[in-house]
Amino acid sequence: MRYKKENDNRYRVNFMIATEKLMDQLTVKEFISYLEENAEFEDETHEYIDGRIVTCKAYDLKEENSNLHKEFLVTEDGRVFYWRTLMDKVELVDEDQKKSERSEKVIRSRANRTEKATYRNNRNEHKFIDVVHHGDGHYYMIQYIKHELPERTVVNYMGTRCGHKQKFRIGKATLMGILEDYTKVEEV
């Protein structure tokens, strides 16, 4: 097994050498069996993982030749997490699964990781900016003036081209400077 995220390799130092070797040799399924046989089952818990609540079994593994105890979570769908702190769960995956996820990461659409927020100008209540942040690090913004009349709402986009909305790609530092004059509008 390996850590799912490259940065999580720094947690290897938390384990005794014997435990590291064991984790390197076993697959996720084999490690789950090892936990069931050799670790103390603590409790069934519900954890927030990948945006949803998951039922997990918590195991306390006492490391060989040591008084150290490490806690692991096993999800109902067969995933294993090193439960480092209450809020920090580090996922362990099979070696071949890690390679397949790298190739999948290239194919995955960035639409799944898009965040949108609307900001209102502090000095002009009719001036707004919509900011779209993609998971790949790019920011796009659209500025517009919005007047709400009794019979309709009128929206005039700034920087339009042939009557179409125009998104502007913008750097984070520039965007943060612009947003100093704006307040985030809470969505209803």
Side-chain angles (χ1 to χ4, degrees):
M1 291 186 312
R2 294 282 180 251
Y3 296 100
K4 184 173 182 178
K5 296 179 185 171
E6 294 286 332
N7 286 348
D8 291 341
N9 276 326
R10 66 182 181 262
Y11 300 124
R12 287 183 68 85
V13 298
N14 293 357
F15 295 97
M16 299 296 288
I17 294 172
T19 309
E20 277 185 45
K21 287 180 180 176
L22 178 72
M23 290 167 62
D24 288 343
Q25 292 171 354
L26 298 178
T27 65
V28 170
K29 285 185 180 180
E30 293 169 341
F31 191 69
I32 292 171
S33 297
Y34 180 82
L35 288 173
E36 290 171 347
E37 294 171 10
N38 300 302
E40 180 185 341
F41 173 74
E42 288 187 330
D43 198 5
E44 195 167 276
T45 180
H46 300 279
E47 296 294 321
Y48 192 72
I49 299 173
D50 295 336
R52 61 188 183 93
I53 306 264
V54 179
T55 303
C56 304
K57 292 180 180 178
Y59 290 95
D60 181 12
L61 178 66
K62 182 181 182 300
E63 295 194 80
E64 287 183 29
N65 305 323
S66 159
N67 289 331
L68 297 175
H69 291 258
K70 301 295 185 230
E71 292 182 317
F72 291 90
L73 292 173
V74 177
T75 65
E76 56 193 356
D77 59 350
R79 295 164 63 192
V80 175
F81 292 86
Y82 165 44
W83 203 5
R84 203 175 81 75
T85 65
L86 186 61
M87 300 301 290
D88 192 14
K89 298 169 231 20
V90 181
E91 186 170 6
L92 295 155
V93 295
D94 291 331
E95 184 66 38
D96 56 342
Q97 181 181 352
K98 187 175 178 183
K99 290 175 185 171
S100 67
E101 284 180 4
R102 279 188 196 143
S103 60
E104 181 184 314
K105 191 182 277 187
V106 175
I107 299 169
R108 192 180 304 145
S109 168
R110 68 180 176 189
N112 295 339
R113 301 177 310 235
T114 301
E115 299 172 16
K116 181 181 176 187
T118 302
Y119 297 86
R120 181 189 304 245
N121 189 288
N122 296 333
R123 290 177 274 167
N124 182 347
E125 66 181 18
H126 301 291
K127 188 175 180 181
F128 292 86
I129 293 179
D130 282 346
V131 176
V132 178
H133 176 234
H134 294 292
D136 59 0
H138 296 127
Y139 290 86
Y140 297 88
M141 65 178 249
I142 301 172
Q143 286 186 309
Y144 57 95
I145 302 289
K146 181 175 169 182
H147 293 281
E148 297 195 22
L149 305 172
E151 62 274 0
R152 64 178 186 208
T153 301
V154 178
V155 177
N156 293 318
Y157 290 95
M158 299 175 176
T160 58
R161 185 185 63 202
C162 303
H164 294 88
K165 291 192 285 184
Q166 179 69 40
K167 290 193 304 187
F168 296 99
R169 185 172 169 181
I170 189 167
K172 184 176 181 178
T174 307
L175 178 63
M176 293 303 135
I178 292 170
L179 291 181
E180 287 177 359
D181 292 335
Y182 286 80
T183 305
K184 188 172 183 177
V185 176
E186 297 299 324
E187 294 183 23
V188 179

